Amino acid sequence: MEKPEQPLKTFSPLSLMEYIRLMTAAVLLKQENAAGSVNFRISAADYDNMMAEKLHTPLLSLTLEYDSVNSVLKVTPDSDFMPQYDNKIMKEVVLTFYDNYKNRYAQWLMVED
């Protein structure tokens, strides 16, 4: 997995959803599941554009709660989500993704640590 040199320039709902999925797993692994959920900063317009996408496959096993007043998206995985990342390879993939892509989608979406 190569580290991107610059932020993504084109809005892609599916890429944002996949980012949410992988960053949620990575943050929870880093926190050793202490938080139970992960917050992202995203504008209401970008959230609506993302959710207008017909396919929501990357969001399976995730519950999204959007606070439009504060532009915060709270993502909470169900009990089937984190066991997918118990495997050493999957764990390394999401942690590498976290390091390499943390700011890749910053124009639209940022994880709140």
Side-chain angles (χ1 to χ4, degrees):
M1 182 181 315
E2 292 184 29
K3 189 172 186 174
E5 295 180 19
Q6 56 189 349
L8 191 68
K9 300 210 186 286
T10 304
F11 185 88
S12 168
L14 288 172
S15 292
L16 291 179
M17 289 182 215
E18 189 63 28
Y19 176 85
I20 289 169
R21 179 177 198 78
L22 295 174
M23 291 301 279
T24 297
V27 168
L28 292 176
L29 285 169
K30 285 178 163 288
Q31 297 174 350
E32 297 180 2
N33 295 311
S37 63
V38 177
N39 289 335
F40 295 86
R41 175 98 26 213
I42 184 171
S43 73
D46 289 337
Y47 177 76
D48 290 342
N49 286 340
M50 179 181 73
M51 297 309 287
E53 168 61 42
K54 293 178 185 176
L55 298 175
H56 288 189
T57 307
L59 301 176
L60 290 175
S61 299
L62 299 173
T63 300
L64 279 58
E65 297 174 46
Y66 186 65
D67 175 358
S68 60
V69 173
N70 296 306
S71 299
V72 173
L73 174 63
K74 181 179 179 181
V75 179
T76 307
D78 68 17
S79 61
D80 295 329
F81 183 77
M82 287 308 292
Q84 299 173 63
Y85 302 96
D86 288 342
N87 175 297
K88 182 180 178 186
I89 293 171
M90 290 300 292
K91 186 175 188 176
E92 288 176 9
V93 166
V94 295
L95 294 176
T96 300
F97 183 90
Y98 178 91
D99 291 336
N100 290 349
Y101 288 83
K102 185 173 183 185
N103 297 311
R104 178 80 164 144
Y105 302 94
Q107 181 175 342
W108 303 285
L109 180 69
M110 286 288 298
V111 72
E112 291 189 333
D113 289 331

